[in-house]
Amino acid sequence: MSFVEYGDTIKDGDTAIVFLGHESMFPVKVQHGTVTQTKYGVIRHSTDLIGKKYGSKVTCSKGGWVFILHPTPELWTMNLPHRTQILYSTDISIITMMLELKPGSIVCESGTGSGSLSHALIRTVAPTGHLYTVEFHQQRAEKAREEFREHGVEHLVTVTNQDVCKNGFGVSNIADAVFLDIPSPWEAIGHAKSALKAEGGRICSFSPCIEQVQRTCLAMEEYGFTEINTLEILLRVYNVRTISLQIPDLGKAAEDNSSTGFDSSNPSHQGSPCANLQQGTVQFKSGVPLREVVGHTGYLTFATKS
């Protein structure tokens, strides 16, 4: 199993996603002799998982069933253990596009955090690219190394435990892109410029506060970055519902009905459009936004090394 290469069957040591429903799923490490409890009953790894194909429907001990899915960066973002606040797919998608990442790209990142963006970056630059990720917190850095090893991507990523604002990324003039998600990104702009390739490298900084954005933009200008711009991505989801609305009285309904010989007492006419007009309402499908939507997550500031 690897997050960048699809495996057909579930093996001992794999990380798999147990899918109970669209709003209910969780990751599990597959191990011989281990069981996993769900609301539908027990899943026995040795008999129910190992050797089965990914995507299989597994029946639990209580008679209910779940699907076992192959892990992807998108599924991992939805199910990973949170060590820090993370980036979600809405922001990740625009980051990978605006940084112009592709297979073979070299990327520097700080901080690693829970590894949500890291997994997406690794999948994007594989199989010949590389991610250099820097994490200030020692335990988080060690946990990230362990996860990358378990997920079969350790050959595509180098994790360093140091302060990027003081010591940089540990590489010079090789990166195609740099991503910063730290409290004071303006202090790391100089190191980011040193890590980027000689010309044309891209940088992105994620900050929740506009004051951080202002200081970061000033630092980018000071170090000669161009094409500086800031974006905010807001996600708005719509539900499809059946809605009933009153039809306005335009003063011609009775006259039109009499001229066409419409008989509202006739049962055969009860389902006709004219019957709805007589009742004064009409039903139709409409897209309705949710009452509560995900609001501000952070500002994304992009720039190019000149």
Side-chain angles (χ1 to χ4, degrees):
M1 183 278 304
S2 170
F3 272 56
V4 297
E5 296 177 0
Y6 182 78
D8 191 46
T9 58
I10 305 171
K11 299 180 177 62
D12 186 25
D14 282 3
T15 297
I17 306 297
V18 179
F19 181 88
L20 293 85
H22 291 290
E23 302 297 329
S24 179
M25 62 183 97
F26 60 89
V28 62
K29 184 174 181 180
V30 180
Q31 292 178 308
H32 271 295
T34 302
V35 298
T36 297
Q37 294 281 352
T38 75
K39 62 181 180 180
Y40 301 126
V42 172
I43 301 174
R44 295 175 176 81
H45 294 200
S46 299
T47 57
D48 296 334
L49 298 184
I50 297 176
K52 300 289 182 65
K53 289 189 175 182
Y54 278 106
S56 296
K57 183 178 178 180
V58 173
T59 302
C60 304
S61 61
K62 292 181 181 179
W65 48 266
V66 299
F67 287 106
I68 308 299
L69 306 181
H70 193 284
T72 65
E74 291 79 10
L75 288 175
W76 186 244
T77 291
M78 297 170 64
N79 296 282
L80 58 78
H82 286 230
R83 299 184 288 274
T84 60
Q85 183 61 265
I86 69 169
L87 289 176
Y88 290 92
S89 296
T90 307
D91 287 318
I92 291 173
S93 60
I94 197 71
I95 290 169
T96 54
M97 183 189 75
M98 294 294 288
L99 289 182
E100 302 173 2
L101 302 182
K102 58 186 183 300
S105 295
I106 305 298
V107 186
C108 292
E109 174 199 27
S110 184
T112 312
S114 301
S116 174
L117 177 65
S118 303
H119 283 81
L121 294 177
I122 292 169
R123 197 264 307 274
T124 302
V125 305
T128 55
H130 200 83
L131 172 66
Y132 294 90
T133 183
V134 177
E135 173 56 53
F136 175 78
H137 193 277
Q138 182 179 358
Q139 290 181 332
R140 288 201 292 263
E142 292 173 354
K143 186 60 179 177
R145 289 194 192 97
E146 179 184 340
E147 285 182 349
F148 293 143
R149 183 171 58 254
E150 290 178 353
H151 298 166
V153 296
E154 72 276 10
H155 61 292
L156 297 169
V157 57
T158 299
V159 182
T160 305
N161 172 220
Q162 63 186 29
D163 186 350
V164 70
C165 296
K166 295 180 179 179
N167 307 113
F169 293 93
V171 296
S172 299
N173 302 319
I174 64 169
D176 298 288
V178 169
F179 176 79
L180 298 173
D181 183 5
I182 54 178
S184 51
W186 55 89
E187 296 181 1
I189 299 299
H191 294 297
K193 183 177 181 180
S194 299
L196 286 168
K197 59 186 180 182
E199 186 177 355
R202 294 279 286 166
I203 183 174
C204 174
S205 174
F206 177 91
S207 297
C209 302
I210 196 65
E211 292 81 7
Q212 294 171 300
V213 174
Q214 292 171 330
R215 296 189 66 174
T216 302
C217 289
L218 291 174
M220 287 178 175
E221 288 182 341
E222 180 182 346
Y223 281 96
F225 284 89
T226 59
E227 299 177 346
I228 302 172
N229 64 89
T230 298
L231 309 175
E232 182 184 24
I233 311 301
L234 300 178
L235 179 64
R236 192 176 188 187
V237 179
Y238 281 78
N239 280 342
V240 177
R241 298 179 182 173
T242 300
I243 294 184
S244 297
L245 290 181
Q246 259 191 327
I247 298 175
D249 183 5
L250 302 179
K252 284 192 173 184
E255 179 183 341
D256 291 344
N257 290 342
S258 61
S259 64
T260 57
F262 175 77
D263 182 6
S264 60
S265 63
N266 188 335
S268 64
H269 292 162
Q270 293 302 313
S272 68
C274 291
N276 285 335
L277 290 176
Q278 288 292 93
Q279 296 165 5
T281 62
V282 63
Q283 291 186 334
F284 61 93
K285 298 291 186 181
S286 176
V288 180
L290 301 179
R291 292 183 179 181
E292 295 181 1
V293 298
V294 177
H296 170 76
T297 56
Y299 301 102
L300 294 169
T301 301
F302 297 91
T304 303
K305 182 178 179 180
S306 176

